[in-house]
Amino acid sequence: MVPGFLSPSLSRLGLWASGLILILGFLKLISLLLRRQKLARAMENFPGPPTHWLFGHALEIQQTGSLDKVVSWAHQFPYAHPLWFGQFIGFLNIYEPDYAKAVYSRGDPKAADVYDFFLQWIGKGLLVLEGPKWFQHRKLLTPGFHYDVLKPYVAVFAESTSDMLDKWEEKAREDKSFDIFSDVGHMALDSLMKCTFGKGDSGLGQRDNSYYLAVSDLTMLMQQRMESFQYHNDFIYWLTPHGRRFLRACQVAHDHTDQVIRERKAALQDEKEQRKIQNRRHLDFLDILLGARDGDGIKLSDADLRAEVDTFMFEGHDTTTSGISWFLYCMARYPEHQQRCRDEAREILGDRDSFQWDDLSKMTYLTMCIKESMRLYPPVPQVYRQLSKPVTFVDGRSLPAGSLVSLHIYALHRNSAAWPDPEVFDPLRFSPENASGRHPFAFMPFSAGPRNCIGQQFAMVELKVAIALILLRFQVTADPTRPHLFSSHIILKPKNGLYLNLKKLPEW
Ligand code: HEM
Ligand SMILES: *[C@@H]1O[C@H](CO)[C@@H](O)[C@H](O)[C@H]1NC(C)=O
């Protein structure tokens, strides 16, 4: 009970507060409307598909098959078209090599409207950072991906893959197709934890499994948030059931990464362990982060450290999982290419039982098939920028500073001007002769320019080793009763699992 003499002043306070909230809400609306007007005016010269008065293009984008919807828009609107997530976030969606080059050869910042949704989860790590701090971290971490560091990873990838293949032998006995996606995911996470984070041989534990599941929740929720304007505001989002689920999944992810950091820090306290690290010729990713000092000898802050661990933990396994899985899907559909890859791998291996670093460069046909599969199924289908200065495109149309740009890698890779018969799987597109005349920005699975993928070589090594070993042990065929559906959850994933038939091959 409020004593009577207080209530008039309290109710006056309530009145003031609601008035203030109303005014703030009104000001926010005005600023959103002004921004919308600015973004829309900037794209005046770019016709596009009709927009819903409230949702923009979000309804089309949320449906299954949305990637192919964009491909059909790309046929209708050459080079680029506006793409609205609700009324206040509008991108120029581009899918043409010269357009891609105009923006991605420069170092424009990531579009905060999208990448800020990552912050609660992976913080300001390399993927989201900008400016001098991004440059400093990129310079710091690049040696962690030097090929001398990658060489010993060949054996690690082989070991994680073999563990998965042993499991698959069991499953294949049942003569039924099964979902390969989550097995590949666990294998990729296991590889990453061993290579980048120095985990021992123990295999994945309960915490790692929870982490794996949390990531699939987080990517799904993030994509949903991008496409739902009601969820764009942080304050509102955290109050919704989806927002709370996002926070819970973040907690699981952070528990996992904190544990990884804690264990390494504890190991560093141990002198013997420290000497072992000093004797190692090349430092791994965590050594580099923990040993980093700036010009004044100051260490990375705990928040920076955690952000980088969270960033690499995510980017380092979800992407390669997608790459390996869609590759196997292609091999199932095109058995003749599968056989050629297998023959090549057998020939390279000869009577040895494990691949070595030098073998990888000999896998020429396999490499062409990997590229062709990443063309049709790019693991990261879309990336976003905000222009820091104006840009003028080849056809004379231009965008002012501040505009938002979305590079639709999936549609770019199916642009028929750059790729004749784009739907046809043809690895020979990537033979040296055929690739030499191609526009350098026609194929961008790892993006391009200064903000390209730092893990590109790591990924290619992992893909080659894992795929060669899979094809040596199994014949892969499609299951026509389980057609594939995409869901673009930041990463290109199968909607209801990726079901393939696996048949164990006789030892050759
Ligand atoms: C097939 C596998 C992979 C694909 C297709 C891929 C693709 C990409 C793409 C398209 C970007 C640009 C993202 C953007 O502009 O927002 C990127 C950035 C990045 N990738 Fe990858 N990636 C792969 C594997 C990896 C691996 C294995 C790692 C780490 C071990 C990694 C770490 C990163 C990081 C840290 C960035 C941000 C780099 C920066 O902005 O400086 N990626 N990747
Ligand atoms: C180039 O591509 C075409 C069409 O895919 C193919 O027929 C031809 O053999 C390729 N050339 C080389 C040298 O790989």
Side-chain angles (χ1 to χ4, degrees):
M1 269 297 286
V2 183
F5 64 89
L6 263 182
S7 51
S9 62
L10 261 193
S11 67
R12 205 172 315 143
L13 201 66
L15 218 66
W16 274 104
S18 20
L20 196 67
I21 289 173
L22 233 107
I23 292 173
L24 285 178
F26 186 67
L27 289 178
K28 177 80 188 170
L29 187 70
I30 301 256
S31 85
L32 282 173
L33 285 171
L34 285 175
R35 175 153 193 255
R36 174 189 158 70
Q37 207 181 23
K38 197 169 155 227
L39 289 174
R41 193 169 308 139
M43 294 193 280
E44 251 168 13
N45 292 325
F46 296 90
T51 54
H52 184 279
W53 68 273
L54 185 59
F55 297 111
H57 301 108
L59 297 177
E60 284 102 328
I61 293 298
Q62 281 161 2
Q63 280 160 17
T64 14
S66 67
L67 289 167
D68 292 312
K69 180 94 213 174
V70 174
V71 173
S72 77
W73 284 341
H75 285 145
Q76 220 178 324
F77 308 101
Y79 306 121
H81 68 73
L83 180 66
W84 289 90
F85 296 159
Q87 288 300 306
F88 305 122
I89 303 190
F91 292 91
L92 184 70
N93 190 41
I94 63 176
Y95 29 73
E96 196 274 335
D98 276 318
Y99 265 61
K101 181 177 170 194
V103 177
Y104 283 76
S105 60
R106 328 190 304 188
D108 295 78
K110 306 281 172 93
D113 296 272
V114 168
Y115 289 81
D116 277 1
F117 298 155
F118 271 118
L119 289 180
Q120 187 70 28
W121 170 20
I122 59 174
K124 290 210 169 185
L126 212 48
L127 185 70
V128 185
L129 275 174
E130 293 306 338
K133 197 158 168 192
W134 166 77
F135 187 75
Q136 184 205 355
H137 281 212
R138 177 97 183 191
K139 214 170 90 187
L140 176 70
L141 290 169
T142 296
F145 295 87
H146 189 272
Y147 75 96
D148 276 335
V149 179
L150 300 182
K151 274 182 184 173
Y153 292 174
V154 171
V156 181
F157 295 141
E159 185 190 82
S160 297
T161 309
S162 294
D163 290 348
M164 175 180 75
L165 295 180
D166 292 343
K167 261 191 274 168
W168 281 2
E169 280 197 21
E170 291 292 317
K171 293 192 182 180
R173 286 208 189 98
E174 299 200 6
D175 261 346
K176 273 202 324 240
S177 71
F178 58 89
D179 171 26
I180 58 137
F181 194 80
S182 72
D183 289 335
V184 172
H186 284 91
M187 182 271 283
L189 181 58
D190 186 53
S191 293
L192 179 76
M193 302 252 316
K194 285 176 181 159
C195 296
T196 312
F197 300 103
K199 177 171 152 294
D201 299 328
S202 53
L204 293 183
Q206 193 53 44
R207 198 190 294 270
D208 307 309
N209 284 326
S210 314
Y211 172 77
Y212 181 80
L213 293 175
V215 169
S216 85
D217 239 20
L218 287 164
T219 50
M220 185 274 287
L221 290 166
M222 240 195 81
Q223 185 78 29
Q224 176 200 50
R225 185 173 181 196
M226 263 159 60
E227 293 162 0
S228 317
F229 71 90
Q230 322 82 290
Y231 284 172
H232 286 176
N233 181 281
D234 263 346
F235 181 73
I236 296 173
Y237 186 58
W238 303 136
L239 293 175
T240 68
H242 284 130
R244 287 203 300 276
R245 184 165 152 200
F246 191 89
L247 290 177
R248 276 197 305 275
C250 281
Q251 189 63 51
V252 174
H254 294 159
D255 283 348
H256 177 262
T257 47
D258 284 345
Q259 170 87 1
V260 168
I261 296 172
R262 223 175 13 246
E263 277 172 10
R264 176 63 64 93
K265 277 189 173 164
L268 282 177
Q269 298 294 323
D270 185 358
E271 262 180 59
K272 227 169 58 206
E273 196 59 34
Q274 221 170 14
R275 227 169 301 126
K276 226 162 68 192
I277 291 169
Q278 275 158 7
N279 289 339
R280 251 190 280 153
R281 220 153 53 87
H282 296 287
L283 302 178
D284 78 5
F285 173 84
L286 262 190
D287 298 325
I288 291 175
L289 280 178
L290 288 167
R293 301 283 182 279
D294 69 10
D296 305 323
I298 313 268
K299 289 198 231 176
L300 280 188
S301 73
D302 281 350
D304 284 352
L305 183 71
R306 211 255 315 256
E308 291 303 356
V309 172
D310 275 312
T311 298
F312 280 79
M313 192 70 83
F314 158 56
E315 271 278 336
H317 88 280
D318 224 20
T319 49
T320 53
T321 301
S322 169
I324 294 170
S325 300
W326 292 114
F327 177 88
L328 291 177
Y329 169 76
C330 290
M331 291 298 102
R333 286 183 62 189
Y334 308 105
E336 65 284 10
H337 297 301
Q338 180 179 160
Q339 192 54 42
R340 278 196 66 174
C341 289
R342 182 176 295 119
D343 291 344
E344 181 185 74
R346 282 183 179 168
E347 193 173 319
I348 292 167
L349 200 53
D351 48 16
R352 288 175 296 143
D353 57 9
S354 61
F355 287 111
Q356 282 153 11
W357 178 261
D358 294 335
D359 294 330
L360 304 182
S361 59
K362 299 179 197 149
M363 300 178 175
T364 51
Y365 199 75
L366 183 84
T367 305
M368 291 195 288
C369 287
I370 291 177
K371 288 183 179 167
E372 179 65 346
S373 120
M374 285 209 274
R375 179 182 72 81
L376 283 167
Y377 306 105
V380 180
Q382 210 172 349
V383 288
Y384 311 85
R385 294 286 186 276
Q386 177 155 33
L387 299 187
S388 57
K389 46 187 199 277
V391 66
T392 301
F393 296 108
V394 275
D395 56 357
R397 292 186 287 183
S398 61
L399 283 178
S403 301
L404 302 174
V405 172
S406 134
L407 171 66
H408 207 281
I409 299 177
Y410 184 90
L412 171 75
H413 286 177
R414 287 162 193 256
N415 182 328
S416 51
W419 306 99
D421 297 324
E423 302 296 327
V424 174
F425 184 89
D426 178 9
L428 286 182
R429 296 178 200 272
F430 291 99
S431 70
E433 295 82 351
N434 280 343
S436 66
R438 189 169 298 127
H439 196 298
F441 285 75
F443 183 61
M444 304 175 59
F446 295 104
S447 189
R451 295 304 293 264
N452 68 353
C453 177
I454 196 177
Q456 179 166 348
Q457 281 77 21
F458 179 105
M460 285 307 284
V461 174
E462 176 173 347
L463 260 66
K464 287 181 189 177
V465 173
I467 287 167
L469 289 172
I470 296 170
L471 294 183
L472 285 176
R473 202 149 1 145
F474 290 99
Q475 171 116 46
V476 190
T477 52
D479 178 353
T481 66
R482 301 256 196 184
H484 79 282
L485 291 171
F486 293 126
S487 49
S488 169
H489 289 167
I490 318 292
I491 308 292
L492 190 66
K493 297 184 180 183
K495 185 153 189 217
N496 302 311
L498 187 52
Y499 282 76
L500 298 175
N501 288 300
L502 269 68
K503 197 171 127 239
K504 171 98 165 49
L505 292 164
E507 308 279 328
W508 74 96

